[in-house]
Structure formats: C-alpha cells, structure tokens
Amino acid sequence: MTSPADVPHLTPNQINALVVLMVEARRLTNVELRELAGFTLTGKDNTKLVDLGLVDTDRTHRPFAHELTDEGWRVARQLHTSPPPKQGGSTTRSLFVVLSNLHRSLDRLRVSHGDFFKQTGATAPAAGESRHEAPAPSAPAPAAAAPVSAAEVEALVRSAYRDLATAPGAWVGLADVRDRLADTDRAALDAALRAMVGREDVRIIPVANTKSLTARDRAAAVRIGNEDNHALAIGPA
C-alpha cells in the first residue's frame, strides 16, 4: 500500500496527474489531460502510477484513458501531508499549499473529497470530447431520476458494510462507507444512518480517542444528537 510518505519519490508530473484525476473525478484521456493541464500521462510516469496501484489505465484504444483507483483516491486526498518533491520547484510547492488549505476547508465543512469533486452530467464531457467543441445535437433530456428511498439508502449502507467488515459486528469507519457510496446524496445518507441507529443490529458510535481521528474521519462523521459519530457496526440482532 502506498502512503503519503512515498510522495517525495513521485515526479511532479505523476503528482499533477493524481491531482487532476482527483479534481475531475472521472476517467480522462490523454487528449483531455493535455487540454486541461498541459500534459499527458505516458511512459514511465504512467507505468509507475499503474504499478503502485494508484491509476487504472485503459489501453484497449487510443487515446489511452486514466482513472484513479480507490488507493489512488486515498493517496491523492493525503498528498498535502507529505513534503513536495524537491525537483518540483515553486509550482509544485504552491500546489501542495492549495491542497492543504482545501483539505482544511473540507474538514471544517464536513464534506468528503469525493462529494466535493463529484461530477454531474452537465459538467463532465464524455471521454475524448473536447471542452472547446460545440456540443452535438442530442435527444431530449430524460426525466429526472426518482429520489432514492430511505430503505434503498439503508440497503446500500448495509451492502457497503458487508464489503468492508472483516466479520459481522466488526467496526468500520464511516469514512470508508462514504467512499463506497460516493454517488449517494450526503443528506440522504446521513438521514439513513440516523434512522439505522434505532435498528437492533446497528451501532454507530463516536471514537473515544479523538486524537486518533484523521481529517478524513472527521469529515465523514455523522451528527447524531449532540455528538459526531465515526464508526459503524452491523451484527446479528
């Protein structure tokens, strides 16, 4: 597993790729990377990020397309906790300052990076489509999807828990649950978690040792009563 301590061993181009893929929160082709940020992800830079498990690259057609893996998201969120690479110069150092302030603001707002950067259909062009091209004629937009019911959100939470827990009743961080459900509306997810507290098989608790909490843990907390809660356990009723 890659850690923020590995960041000094990444090149500025590799770091830039992680950041752009994070803030765009979607798969990007090399054409789009060049248009957005002035570089492409190829050669040794691409190979290293793929080998580290940080980026998934689709090489089945050209231009190649890249997307952050779950591990890539984790490392990208924590980039600012490591010193920038020395060869990066002032531009890379400035980027780390921005990331640090962004992280602090999201922590204060209790918004995850995934929720903050999540694309909508109106803002994300299709893979390979230039942002500068006139949009092609399209069919009328479909009717808005029906809101997801509370029962459906609870089912998503239970499914995410089963994927994450080492055993029934084991504690799982809400930060990990939120990452699994990044496409779920935060308000709906919070409401489902609050409702689930009343279930006999569900426990949601704060972490007693608050010094052990990361900014990610704090941002993912759900407010129940007058305290923030950070961990979920679902076991036999």
Side-chain angles (χ1 to χ4, degrees):
M1 177 179 291
T2 306
S3 72
D6 296 317
V7 170
H9 304 296
L10 297 178
T11 67
N13 198 62
Q14 290 162 3
I15 290 172
N16 290 340
L18 293 179
V19 172
V20 173
L21 290 171
M22 175 178 68
V23 300
E24 281 294 301
R26 62 188 177 93
R27 186 175 291 270
L28 293 175
T29 67
N30 277 326
V31 172
E32 291 174 303
L33 277 173
R34 184 183 294 110
E35 290 180 347
L36 288 167
F39 68 90
T40 58
L41 184 55
T42 58
K44 293 181 179 179
D45 285 335
N46 181 217
T47 299
K48 183 168 184 177
L49 293 180
V50 170
D51 288 347
L52 288 173
L54 305 182
V55 169
D56 174 60
T57 296
D58 181 1
R59 295 188 175 92
T60 60
H61 56 82
R62 291 182 179 275
F64 293 166
H66 316 281
E67 187 173 19
L68 286 183
T69 63
D70 289 344
E71 179 69 3
W73 268 98
R74 187 187 68 79
V75 171
R77 287 193 298 264
Q78 298 296 324
L79 278 172
H80 69 281
T81 63
S82 172
K86 294 180 180 179
Q87 69 270 34
S90 60
T91 300
T92 302
R93 291 178 179 276
S94 297
L95 175 62
F96 274 61
V97 173
V98 172
L99 291 174
S100 180
N101 282 274
L102 170 67
H103 193 89
R104 184 173 66 248
S105 296
L106 294 183
D107 185 29
R108 183 177 66 251
L109 296 171
R110 301 188 183 280
V111 176
S112 70
H113 287 67
D115 284 338
F116 184 76
F117 290 121
K118 181 169 61 178
Q119 290 277 5
T120 64
T123 59
E129 176 187 341
S130 170
R131 290 173 178 261
H132 306 296
E133 295 173 355
S138 58
V148 180
S149 69
E152 290 174 314
V153 178
E154 179 173 337
L156 291 173
V157 172
R158 289 179 178 272
S159 176
Y161 176 83
R162 286 193 297 270
D163 290 341
L164 293 165
T166 56
W171 290 109
V172 167
L174 288 182
D176 292 331
V177 174
R178 289 195 191 277
D179 282 352
R180 286 295 181 104
L181 304 179
D183 292 334
T184 303
D185 177 73
R186 184 180 178 105
L189 181 53
D190 284 355
L193 290 169
R194 294 186 184 105
M196 290 175 69
V197 171
R199 309 280 191 262
E200 291 185 3
D201 61 333
V202 176
R203 289 178 294 166
I204 301 177
I205 65 169
V207 170
N209 181 13
T210 57
K211 292 183 179 180
S212 69
L213 293 172
T214 65
R216 175 172 173 262
D217 293 324
R218 296 179 189 277
V222 59
R223 191 80 173 177
I224 300 176
N226 61 350
E227 61 184 353
D228 290 335
N229 294 262
H230 314 92
L232 166 70
I234 302 178

